Amino acid sequence: RKRIMTDRIPAILSDAEESLARAQVAFDGLQYDEAEQLAQAVVTRLTPLFEREDMGEETDSTSLKFKLIAILAHAFNRLNVIALARNNPDEAIRTALVGLSYSERIGHDIRTANLLANLGKAYLGTSHYTLALDTYRRALALSGKHALQALTAQIVGQMGIAYKELTDYTAALENFHKALILMEELGDQSGVATNTINIAIVHQAFGDHQRALESFQSALGMFDALGDKSAVAFTLSSIGGLYFRINDFPQALELLGRALAMQVELGEKRDAAVARGNMGHAYKSIGDYDKALEYLQQAYQESVEIGAVYPQLHWLNGLGDLFGEQDFAGYSPEIAADYLLRAIDLSTAHGIRSVTLAAYQSLDALYRKTQNWEMAYQARDRYEQEKEHINIEGAQRLAATREYERKEAEREKQLAIERTRAQEKESILNNILPEEITTRLIGGENPIADYFDSVSILFMDIVDFTRLSASISAQQLVHFLNAIFKVADGIMREFGLEKIKTIGDAYMAVAGAPVSRQDHAVQAAQAALRLLDAMNTLEVSFPKELGDQSMLAALPEINVRIGLHCGSAAAGVVGETKFLYDLWGDAVNTASRMESHGEPGKIHVSEEFTRALTIGTGHDLSQLPIQCIPRGEVEIKGKGMMKTYFLERLDGNG
């Protein structure tokens, strides 16, 4: 019977994995109850199997025992995440600790790192900041070991919060800036906005309200674009708190009221308590003590109910200040002192020096009002002692340094972008114009005009192009021409010719411009021969997406005419837009006539070109691996009778 049970275990484990997958889907759809039921059912079903001894060794990653422990760690991780989503830090701590007992047992580093990160977050929620930091350091070591950048960014940012609450502003800023950089690298806009807010809160603590406000507004824009209503409400509340600090109480109340309404609707209990308490502070500042009492007491009660220690401290301080107001109907120095001393005890227990500092300052003022000079002196002395532990000046210097570094980094980033764009533009220009001409244009030279005593000009066109173009679609025609001209471009680059332009099916290039060279005719001749060979063997295929291909079979083979001529020419760039490097002069017209009066499949050259071939090499033309076959005198339109030749390779030199 026991053997049968063991045989069933793989199926049970497989069902458990499927249940956890469904729990993930339910969680992503905010169906927390369903997700919890599925994960808890896995725990209930698998836990009794843990003590079995017939499932292999847990140190063997292929054993059933190893798989069982891994699934239990996963299940408690899911329950832990649900508890955090429900703002239940106590349950999150419990489930994280149980999950860790499983994941650490089998050395599952990544699961352990995630559970430690979540445990740290739960400790933050219970204001156990030192515990949170210790836990985060363990998580950070594992996330760094396995290069888990997203988890590392999250942990570093959360550590910044812990340091901030412990009033270690220097360490807080270091962590917030590190997290911000990591989030930017990851493209995590929500993370960028969150750390922007945290940095703003530190600036606010320094009294740099303008910089804090700019950061808050920047974060608000990011959260609004992301559609994150909860974060938008939190940011509005933060901005309201800032306006309270600069004594703009109507604006503070308006923003805090908007935030509170949104948070109540969203069920954000902790954030709602914070907004409500800050409204109580604002009402006290404008002398509306009844509303101040109502809001502060409700905020305090809500914070106690959800175990949010940090907000409780602020409302204890606020109630202490309120009951110490002589104009308040419920004025009572005894009650005021009681609230403030409770705030001191609780903040000291949690290491939250900023609240302890504020409470001692309020006690000093209260005792002075009642002329209790000895107690006032003691409160002031404790205030000064606490202040020494809060290195505001050092943190301010760090903030200024990080701000400068950030601006420099942004400036360098912008310069890099501009350099890249300039290089891209220059690259595009170099594909349109010769590189030498691009350099001169960028240098401000315009118009560009050069004269060359002798260049070789090449023209090529496609035989029967008019009939061919009428047989195929426009898209197919462009594809066809592109295939031909790409081959021609490559050959021109190989032999150092500069492509000038295409006009319809005609292709024009030059050797010896824009950089002069003595052997321009030789290079042009070799390019023309290679070009003719390439066109004779080129096969153009057409993608199916270019439409009906029934007419393509009837297309004639590619056949071209090529013409070459040498002579003087002007070259340059004119105009202000859509620059084009071009050539002008009689040599250009004559080269065009060589092509148009040539024959299909041949290279038609002028007598001037044959002479330039000999001059360019310093050899007798008969010694070259090419030959110019006399065609005789030909009537050339616009030129009259001209002696011309056909350029060919010598036999055996192909």
Side-chain angles (χ1 to χ4, degrees):
R1 178 174 177 80
K2 191 172 184 180
R3 180 70 246 166
I4 295 172
M5 286 292 294
T6 304
D7 290 343
R8 289 181 53 204
I9 289 174
I12 293 171
L13 297 180
S14 179
D15 288 346
E17 287 180 319
E18 187 178 330
S19 293
L20 290 176
R22 294 205 307 273
Q24 175 72 57
V25 173
F27 178 82
D28 291 340
L30 305 182
Q31 304 297 316
Y32 298 149
D33 288 343
E34 181 183 347
E36 183 179 28
Q37 288 168 8
L38 287 164
Q40 189 58 56
V42 169
V43 170
T44 302
R45 190 174 189 190
L46 297 191
T47 300
L49 300 176
F50 184 73
E51 299 302 328
R52 291 180 61 121
E53 297 178 355
D54 58 346
M55 295 173 62
E57 296 294 328
E58 63 186 56
T59 53
D60 179 4
S61 61
T62 64
S63 72
L64 290 174
K65 190 66 170 282
F66 184 96
K67 188 173 183 180
L68 169 69
I69 296 172
I71 294 172
L72 282 169
H74 186 184
F76 276 101
N77 187 35
R78 176 54 46 210
L79 291 169
N80 167 257
V81 171
I82 294 166
L84 286 172
R86 286 174 162 166
N87 293 314
N88 188 344
D90 291 331
E91 177 63 9
I93 290 169
R94 185 192 73 80
T95 50
L97 289 172
V98 178
L100 282 168
S101 71
Y102 287 118
S103 65
E104 289 178 328
R105 188 163 181 157
I106 59 172
H108 196 317
D109 283 356
I110 295 176
R111 179 79 67 204
T112 299
N114 279 281
L115 281 163
L116 285 169
N118 291 345
L119 179 60
K121 190 173 183 181
Y123 283 141
L124 277 186
T126 57
S127 300
H128 289 91
Y129 302 119
T130 303
L131 264 178
L133 284 171
D134 290 342
T135 306
Y136 280 135
R137 290 187 190 104
R138 291 169 58 197
L140 194 59
L142 290 173
S143 68
K145 176 183 175 182
H146 294 279
L148 307 174
Q149 191 175 8
L151 184 60
T152 297
Q154 174 195 326
I155 293 168
V156 171
Q158 293 291 311
M159 289 178 75
I161 294 173
Y163 281 121
K164 175 178 70 70
E165 305 300 24
L166 290 170
T167 331
D168 188 345
Y169 293 131
T170 303
L173 275 174
E174 285 283 11
N175 280 270
F176 288 147
H177 278 286
K178 284 180 185 176
L180 182 63
I181 291 168
L182 288 169
M183 293 297 184
E184 287 175 336
E185 290 174 355
L186 290 165
D188 184 343
Q189 280 296 99
S190 180
V192 170
T194 298
N195 283 283
T196 299
I197 283 181
N198 289 330
I199 291 169
I201 291 170
V202 178
H203 284 306
Q204 181 176 268
F206 297 160
D208 192 346
H209 297 126
Q210 184 57 42
R211 184 176 294 176
L213 181 60
E214 289 170 1
S215 296
F216 279 137
Q217 289 173 334
S218 173
L220 182 63
M222 286 186 259
F223 283 133
D224 194 41
L226 291 167
D228 189 337
K229 292 182 180 179
S230 177
V232 166
F234 177 81
T235 311
L236 286 172
S237 180
S238 299
I239 297 172
L242 185 145
Y243 277 111
F244 168 76
R245 285 167 176 78
I246 60 175
N247 299 325
D248 188 343
F249 304 121
Q251 183 75 350
L253 285 167
E254 193 272 329
L255 288 166
L256 289 166
R258 283 171 57 193
L260 178 60
M262 292 175 68
Q263 287 156 348
V264 169
E265 181 183 349
L266 293 167
E268 301 283 358
K269 293 182 179 180
R270 188 183 191 282
D271 290 345
V274 171
R276 199 185 307 277
N278 282 329
M279 290 180 74
H281 284 311
Y283 281 124
K284 172 187 170 295
S285 297
I286 61 175
D288 192 338
Y289 298 128
D290 290 339
K291 277 193 175 180
L293 180 63
E294 174 192 344
Y295 276 77
L296 285 169
Q297 284 183 332
Q298 186 175 347
Y300 175 70
Q301 188 60 41
E302 289 172 348
S303 300
V304 170
E305 288 173 0
I306 62 174
V309 175
Y310 193 81
Q312 290 177 44
L313 297 171
H314 284 286
W315 319 143
L316 286 170
N317 263 356
L319 288 164
D321 287 340
L322 177 61
F323 279 93
E325 281 288 341
Q326 292 174 328
D327 293 336
F328 173 44
Y331 169 68
S332 170
E334 294 78 14
I335 295 176
D338 179 63
Y339 276 124
L340 294 171
L341 289 169
R342 285 164 60 190
I344 288 169
D345 289 342
L346 192 56
S347 62
T348 301
H350 288 273
I352 306 172
R353 293 185 182 276
S354 60
V355 176
T356 309
L357 187 74
Y360 275 123
Q361 188 174 31
S362 294
L363 269 179
D364 176 38
L366 177 66
Y367 290 138
R368 287 174 186 275
K369 285 180 187 177
T370 58
Q371 299 184 352
N372 188 341
W373 305 113
E374 182 179 354
M375 296 300 290
Y377 173 78
Q378 290 179 11
R380 173 54 56 176
D381 185 54
R382 292 301 304 272
Y383 170 81
E384 294 297 338
Q385 290 176 32
E386 291 295 326
K387 190 175 180 182
E388 286 181 10
H389 289 284
I390 302 175
N391 185 12
I392 294 288
E393 292 78 8
Q396 285 175 324
R397 286 193 298 272
L398 177 65
T401 300
R402 290 292 173 266
E403 187 67 18
Y404 172 79
E405 290 173 350
R406 184 160 182 77
K407 285 181 178 178
E408 282 297 296
E410 282 296 320
R411 189 175 71 84
E412 284 299 318
K413 183 179 176 182
Q414 192 58 41
L415 286 173
I417 291 170
E418 289 173 5
R419 281 195 294 269
T420 301
R421 286 175 177 168
Q423 289 166 358
E424 288 173 351
K425 289 177 182 177
E426 188 169 340
S427 177
I428 292 169
L429 275 174
N430 286 338
N431 282 332
I432 299 171
L433 301 169
E435 187 174 344
E436 298 80 7
I437 299 301
T438 298
T439 302
R440 291 164 66 182
L441 280 172
I442 291 173
E445 184 179 351
N446 189 28
I448 291 175
D450 298 318
Y451 179 79
F452 298 92
D453 288 328
S454 183
V455 296
S456 292
I457 301 165
L458 177 151
F459 274 91
M460 176 188 77
D461 84 341
I462 302 167
V463 177
D464 286 336
F465 178 74
T466 303
R467 181 173 66 85
L468 183 149
S469 61
S471 305
I472 57 179
S473 70
Q475 291 85 354
Q476 290 168 339
L477 179 61
V478 171
H479 178 81
F480 176 76
L481 287 173
N482 186 55
I484 291 174
F485 291 155
K486 278 177 68 176
V487 171
D489 288 346
I491 293 170
M492 297 307 113
R493 285 194 299 272
E494 180 183 353
F495 290 98
L497 275 70
E498 189 68 48
K499 175 185 176 180
I500 300 301
K501 58 187 173 184
T502 59
I503 308 169
D505 67 319
Y507 185 95
M508 177 184 174
V510 63
V515 178
S516 297
R517 58 186 300 169
Q518 209 173 20
D519 63 345
H520 57 80
V522 175
Q523 295 304 108
Q526 291 177 326
L529 288 164
R530 179 71 63 82
L531 185 59
L532 186 62
D533 289 343
M535 293 300 111
N536 286 338
T537 58
L538 181 65
E539 293 184 4
V540 180
S541 59
F542 293 83
K544 291 181 179 179
E545 58 264 27
L546 294 183
D548 180 24
Q549 302 192 21
S550 59
M551 295 295 295
L552 300 180
L555 292 179
E557 292 184 357
I558 298 170
N559 207 353
V560 299
R561 285 187 299 264
I562 299 175
L564 292 167
H565 177 63
C566 283
S568 61
V573 178
V574 295
E576 295 181 350
T577 60
K578 296 185 179 179
F579 295 135
L580 173 68
Y581 182 70
D582 209 348
L583 269 72
W584 301 274
D586 183 65
V588 177
N589 296 330
T590 303
S592 176
R593 295 288 185 265
M594 288 299 102
E595 175 271 308
S596 61
H597 288 72
E599 294 182 6
K602 293 189 176 184
I603 302 169
H604 192 207
V605 304
S606 65
E607 188 173 19
E608 289 85 350
F609 184 81
T610 63
R611 286 199 297 268
L613 272 176
T614 305
I615 295 169
T617 60
H619 294 85
D620 183 14
L621 186 59
S622 63
Q623 298 176 0
L624 295 175
I626 55 177
Q627 57 185 342
C628 294
I629 309 299
R631 187 185 185 189
E633 291 196 345
V634 180
E635 177 72 31
I636 303 296
K637 182 179 179 182
K639 307 297 295 180
M641 300 300 294
M642 290 184 66
K643 186 181 290 186
T644 64
Y645 300 79
F646 287 120
L647 180 70
E648 298 177 359
R649 280 193 176 86
L650 285 172
D651 291 342
N653 290 284

